[in-house]
Amino acid sequence: MIKIEIDKGSGFCFGVVTAIHKAEEELAKGKTLYCLGDIVHNSREVERLKAMGLITINHEEFRRLRNAKVLLRAHGEPPETYETARKNNIEIIDATCPVVLQLQKRIKQSFLNDERQDKQIVIYGKNGHAEVLGLVGQTDGKAIVIEKAEEIGKLDFNKSIRLFSQTTKSLDGFQEIVSRIKEHISSKSAFEYYDTICRQVANRMPKLREFAASHDLIFFVSGKKSSNGKILFDECLKVNPNSHLIDGEEDIDPALLRNINSIGICGATSTPKWLMERIYAHIRSLMDK
């Protein structure tokens, strides 16, 4: 019989677990609860909570809201979101991940300390990502965002640089940017860098590589919006070319299941365990046909 295994290390990180728990807790009270943006970058989990009554809104809808209760997801928000809530009498259920919250505080403090100095605050992260918007917001929009080492040309190497990272970015990518900046920065300019990548996410990579290499076929389960999902799926591909990114069981091509001895199922920090278990059951059913 073909071996099918779910990766024990995959599934929600503690920040997402906390946010979903807070949402479920509030929804159980039977009152209207809004969420600013998708609570997690997984459409299946968003739909599950929608069925329980969670209403997802965007920032424009949030600004029009009055006298309501709104949950802020784990990604965090910029200061203006809290100011809007205060003006509009919106009660905030703050589920910002503690790791993200600490990073926001560090960037804000750095910005306030260096506001009048000739120093650039740089964030290694995905432009437009919810977490990154929250981080840039701590600097009144002045922080420079770079997504990859090739973009360091945006920086002025005659000015000092202070580098931070989005919590879910690749550690290797961060180290490459550090190396590139060191090569280019003026000897008269200071360069400080802070590895602010969440270790719960970073530590998954070596274990995920090991898991992916131990199976003939890998199904990596992730929502298409998940930044972390793209990074982790790439790690699977590096060690196992027979890795496939799927959103749900309907994405599985039965032809892939032929002539293999083992299948591994894994996912992003935004992938619910129940979805991986459903995919496991679906694969078993295909095998039984």
Side-chain angles (χ1 to χ4, degrees):
M1 181 180 283
I2 293 175
K3 177 186 176 185
I4 309 173
E5 182 184 11
I6 297 175
D7 175 33
K8 292 181 176 66
S10 289
F12 291 151
C13 61
F14 73 90
V16 173
V17 168
T18 301
I20 288 172
H21 177 69
K22 285 187 177 185
E24 289 173 334
E25 208 170 50
E26 288 297 321
L27 292 167
K29 296 174 185 176
K31 295 181 180 178
T32 302
L33 178 66
Y34 297 90
C35 182
L36 185 53
D38 289 343
I39 192 168
V40 64
H41 288 151
N42 186 277
S43 59
R44 311 301 173 113
E45 184 65 12
V46 170
E47 286 299 318
R48 185 185 75 85
L49 290 167
K50 180 182 178 182
M52 292 176 66
L54 186 64
I55 303 167
T56 302
I57 57 172
N58 58 33
H59 282 81
E60 188 179 329
E61 292 166 324
F62 176 73
R63 286 189 286 271
R64 295 198 300 263
L65 211 56
R66 300 289 186 279
N67 311 312
K69 189 178 284 191
V70 177
L71 182 135
L72 301 185
R73 57 200 177 160
H75 301 91
E77 284 291 323
E80 55 261 35
T81 296
Y82 295 88
E83 182 58 24
T84 298
R86 188 188 64 77
K87 287 178 181 175
N88 294 358
N89 193 35
I90 293 171
E91 182 185 343
I92 292 293
I93 308 295
D94 200 340
T96 303
C97 171
V99 177
V100 174
L101 203 56
Q102 184 62 29
L103 176 54
Q104 286 184 348
K105 288 175 182 175
R106 287 181 70 176
I107 290 175
K108 185 172 185 176
Q109 193 60 52
S110 180
F111 173 69
L112 293 175
N113 290 346
D114 301 331
E115 198 171 1
R116 296 181 183 177
Q117 296 181 27
D118 199 22
K119 187 168 285 188
Q120 301 161 95
I121 291 180
V122 181
I123 297 167
Y124 166 47
K126 183 181 178 183
N127 251 310
H129 187 279
E131 181 189 326
V132 173
L133 293 174
L135 299 178
V136 173
Q138 309 305 315
T139 68
D140 294 340
K142 293 177 182 175
I144 301 166
V145 178
I146 55 176
E147 294 194 26
K148 50 192 174 182
E150 291 75 17
E151 294 180 5
I152 63 166
K154 292 180 181 180
L155 310 180
D156 183 344
F157 296 111
N158 293 311
K159 291 182 179 180
S160 294
I161 295 170
R162 188 165 285 180
L163 174 69
F164 298 88
S165 176
Q166 178 184 341
T167 61
T168 55
K169 291 299 281 182
S170 157
L171 191 53
D172 290 344
F174 178 77
Q175 289 167 344
E176 185 184 357
I177 287 171
V178 169
S179 178
R180 292 277 194 100
I181 292 175
K182 282 181 176 178
E183 288 172 10
H184 290 83
I185 196 159
S186 163
S187 58
K188 296 177 182 178
S189 302
F191 175 39
E192 299 171 43
Y193 53 93
Y194 304 93
D195 171 4
T196 51
I197 294 166
C198 174
R199 281 306 179 265
Q200 194 188 17
V201 174
N203 290 342
R204 284 189 179 188
M205 290 192 181
K207 292 177 181 175
L208 187 67
R209 290 188 201 109
E210 190 179 324
F211 178 82
S214 70
H215 293 283
D216 299 331
L217 169 65
I218 290 291
F219 287 116
F220 186 89
V221 190
S222 175
K224 293 177 176 64
K225 294 181 183 178
S226 174
S227 175
N228 167 256
K230 290 182 177 70
I231 292 167
L232 293 179
F233 175 61
D234 284 344
E235 293 302 313
C236 287
L237 273 176
K238 285 176 187 175
V239 297
N240 188 336
N242 197 18
S243 295
H244 302 267
L245 179 64
I246 63 171
D247 188 37
E249 64 268 34
E250 65 279 1
D251 293 337
I252 295 173
D253 179 359
L256 293 172
L257 309 179
R258 296 174 194 152
N259 304 317
I260 53 169
N261 296 313
S262 67
I263 299 170
I265 301 167
C266 48
T269 55
S270 54
T271 303
K273 267 282 197 292
W274 62 260
L275 181 55
M276 288 184 281
E277 287 166 356
R278 197 164 81 185
I279 285 164
Y280 176 97
H282 178 70
I283 293 170
R284 275 279 173 237
S285 70
L286 290 174
M287 295 294 191
D288 293 339
K289 287 180 180 178

